[in-house]
Amino acid sequence: MTSLDARIANLFPSIILNLQESIRIPSIQGDPTLDAPFGIQVKEALNHALKTASSLGFKTYDLDGYVGWAEYGESENMIVVLGHLDVVPSGEGWTRPPFGGEIHGNKMFGRGVMDDKGPIIGALWALYAIKELSFPVKRRIRILFGTNEESGMKDMHYYLEHGGEIPIMGFTPDGEFPIVAYEKGQLHVRIKVPFIQPNNSKALLLGICGGTVPNVVPSEAEAQIRFFDLSEKQKILNAFKKVAREKGIKVAVNAESEIATIKVSGVAAHGSTPELGVNAIANLLYLLGYSIDEDWGESLRGLSGYFYGDVNGVNLGIFLEDELSGKLTCNLGQINFEDGCLSLILDIRFPVSFKFEDVILSLESLSQKEGFSLNILRKKAPLNMPKDSILIKKLQKVYEEKTGQEAKLLSMGGGTYAKALPNIVAFGPKFPESPDVAHQADEFIDLEEYLKILQIMGAAMVELAN
Ligand SMILES: [Zn+2]
């Protein structure tokens, strides 16, 4: 154990108390007020962290409630540790109070203990240990407290737009160990598909909807169909059952009147890992497409062909793959029916060796061929930190010394702050063998692991600062 490890272990009881205070502030994004751009609870969590920092003897700064920081050292060059104090809502299914910070056994429970209050508040305390031991540092160390990571990273946009200093190196403890060197590029696109139903149809599609946001695999999708012919209705309802049974599609049909409601359920998952979910919209399109004996049924069948059983954009003609970050993924996140068009929103994550154009040009030529209209809603460039960069070399050295494990470079489909601030990568806090508890019910941090995380971060700060 180094002297820094010992000092952090000594401080650990105080760190736990301080983290519990923060967990008890439910810092979910709220309505903006003066000085509190993301709501008063988020602002209170920022105030709490900055108050802690100044009580530990740091210089602190609050950038209009968007971002705050604490600093150690005087040099011109700066390294950062960037984390966030905002949290996602607790959601259902907790067996402990989500904003209690209770400790049971060797675990602390609460929204934000891992994502990301535990790591970033811990980083502040690790820096305090560095300061107390008067470790020499050639570069200033800044702990940056973000407040809008979970809903758009507008905090970092504000920081950069208002002349926030760019670090020469740094990390965000908001991903995984060992090191996330690669993060896929991201595109959100809307495809509008003209949808024509002839007047003499025996059945009409009245509505279709599914999904809530682009970046989640939709767990529910629903359609309403009006029948003009009873025997046709019975035929189609039988076809639903048959197709659903053959394909294992979970469907509930309510057909008491001439209007039938067809509800398909799937399994939600993060949009960056669509292979872990079951897409209710794709299943609904397939079910309708293969049951409805009308022209419009056929066009749904055609549409389902792009998504059913394909989460890698193969059928859309946008599939890409590289060695560093794997396959392109495509999540059909939302569908709506309006103004005679089906509107589909896709969340596409493409591998790091490619550019936006590599995806967009293929989508454009498909749209032209099929008569779709295409809209780009969001673009985020991939992150590709060279494996022989000083940052990667230094973090690898620290991780291997501290854990005795090989510091492999990881790739993620999701995006961290490393895409929002130059020259940083995600480093921790989740160990390879630990469960992913972020955004889940009963989010917890194992306290033995927490201490280890803080000691690794402390060593990494010293390493990057020298
Ligand atoms: Zn996070």
Side-chain angles (χ1 to χ4, degrees):
M1 205 193 260
T2 64
S3 59
L4 182 57
D5 287 348
R7 189 66 203 128
I8 292 172
N10 247 312
L11 290 167
F12 200 54
S14 310
I15 299 173
I16 287 177
L17 289 174
N18 190 245
L19 175 58
Q20 284 175 315
E21 289 169 8
S22 183
I23 296 301
R24 288 175 191 141
I25 306 166
S27 48
I28 304 155
Q29 187 182 13
D31 294 331
T33 65
L34 197 67
D35 290 349
F38 307 114
I40 50 171
Q41 303 280 23
V42 172
K43 179 69 201 238
E44 198 185 323
L46 179 60
N47 288 346
H48 169 263
L50 293 178
K51 220 177 80 196
T52 302
S54 74
S55 76
L56 297 176
F58 291 107
K59 284 174 289 185
T60 63
Y61 195 88
D62 178 350
L63 183 63
D64 305 330
Y66 282 80
V67 189
W69 59 86
E71 256 187 15
Y72 173 59
E74 302 293 337
S75 331
E76 196 196 331
N77 286 331
M78 174 191 83
I79 64 141
V80 302
V81 182
L82 167 61
H84 63 95
L85 296 167
D86 58 316
V87 295
V88 295
S90 56
E92 302 296 312
W94 287 74
T95 64
R96 316 282 186 196
F99 300 103
E102 289 184 2
I103 294 170
H104 298 272
N106 204 31
K107 293 172 179 165
M108 189 195 297
F109 290 83
R111 180 55 86 227
V113 289
M114 268 300 264
D115 182 19
D116 191 42
K117 287 173 170 174
I120 195 60
I121 287 170
L124 174 69
W125 283 86
L127 185 61
Y128 175 60
I130 292 170
K131 179 165 80 84
E132 272 204 312
L133 292 170
S134 308
F135 265 58
V137 286
K138 290 200 193 117
R139 299 173 179 131
R140 250 179 316 129
I141 305 175
R142 177 178 288 189
I143 308 290
L144 260 178
F145 299 103
T147 59
N148 187 234
E149 197 276 340
E150 300 288 6
S151 34
M153 303 195 190
K154 293 184 267 303
D155 50 352
M156 280 301 116
H157 300 164
Y158 192 90
Y159 179 80
L160 294 175
E161 278 163 15
H162 291 77
E165 188 178 343
I166 294 181
I168 60 160
M169 278 188 282
F171 62 89
T172 174
D174 193 22
E176 293 176 40
F177 284 126
I179 300 160
V180 183
Y182 316 111
E183 295 183 19
K184 288 179 183 170
Q186 189 183 23
L187 278 168
H188 285 180
V189 302
R190 182 192 288 122
I191 292 177
K192 280 199 169 182
V193 182
F195 190 70
I196 299 151
Q197 307 184 74
N199 284 335
N200 59 353
S201 303
K202 291 178 188 160
L204 278 184
L205 183 71
L206 298 182
I208 187 166
C209 65
T212 48
V213 285
N215 66 349
V216 172
V217 176
S219 60
E220 279 177 6
E222 184 179 313
Q224 284 85 32
I225 297 171
R226 178 189 283 271
F227 292 99
F228 297 102
D229 180 322
L230 262 184
S231 68
E232 183 70 9
K233 175 175 166 182
Q234 206 44 54
K235 205 176 95 193
I236 290 175
L237 294 184
N238 288 339
F240 282 157
K241 278 188 204 145
K242 182 163 173 283
V243 175
R245 199 171 47 234
E246 280 170 8
K247 295 294 169 183
I249 295 172
K250 272 182 80 180
V251 62
V253 180
N254 183 335
E256 274 162 30
S257 65
E258 76 277 9
I259 295 173
T261 302
I262 298 101
K263 265 190 196 175
V264 166
S265 9
V267 177
H270 194 267
S272 64
T273 50
E275 70 279 5
L276 301 180
V278 174
N279 193 308
I281 300 175
N283 279 2
L284 177 63
L285 291 175
Y286 186 93
L287 183 69
L288 298 175
Y290 282 87
S291 306
I292 309 268
D293 196 12
E294 301 274 353
D295 288 353
W296 62 265
E298 204 168 305
S299 59
L300 291 184
R301 191 185 314 171
L303 204 52
S304 79
Y306 291 120
F307 305 103
Y308 182 80
D310 177 10
V311 294
N312 299 110
V314 177
N315 297 338
L316 286 167
I318 57 172
F319 178 74
L320 298 167
E321 185 175 17
D322 70 16
E323 217 167 283
L324 297 176
S325 58
K327 294 177 169 149
L328 175 146
T329 62
C330 175
N331 177 48
L332 169 53
Q334 286 171 278
I335 191 167
N336 271 302
F337 184 27
E338 51 197 9
D339 307 328
C341 282
L342 295 176
S343 163
L344 282 65
I345 298 182
L346 313 181
D347 180 350
I348 298 164
R349 318 275 173 134
F350 60 94
V352 296
S353 321
F354 296 91
K355 297 189 290 293
F356 294 121
E357 290 66 37
D358 297 322
V359 181
I360 293 173
L361 289 178
S362 307
L363 282 175
E364 278 174 353
S365 73
L366 175 79
S367 302
Q368 209 148 34
K369 190 177 117 222
E370 297 280 11
F372 302 160
S373 75
L374 183 70
N375 237 311
I376 310 295
L377 307 176
R378 172 198 270 196
K379 285 166 90 170
K380 274 190 178 175
L383 172 82
N384 185 352
M385 189 62 75
K387 65 177 190 303
D388 43 14
S389 58
I390 297 172
L391 172 60
I392 296 292
K393 290 281 169 222
K394 282 180 177 284
L395 293 180
Q396 279 181 317
K397 174 172 170 252
V398 169
Y399 186 79
E400 288 177 0
E401 273 173 14
K402 287 289 175 198
T403 65
Q405 311 272 327
E406 188 194 347
K408 290 192 188 127
L409 301 184
L410 307 178
S411 151
M412 265 174 56
T416 71
Y417 268 142
K419 278 191 181 156
L421 187 68
N423 308 330
I424 70 170
V425 292
F427 181 59
K430 190 187 101 59
F431 286 107
E433 62 280 3
S434 307
D436 185 3
V437 297
H439 300 199
Q440 316 269 328
D442 282 342
E443 179 179 345
F444 70 89
I445 195 161
D446 179 291
L447 294 177
E448 204 177 308
E449 278 186 12
Y450 188 36
L451 178 57
K452 190 89 204 157
I453 292 164
L454 304 192
Q455 290 168 336
I456 294 173
M457 285 197 295
M461 283 187 247
V462 172
E463 182 66 34
L464 296 188
N466 286 290

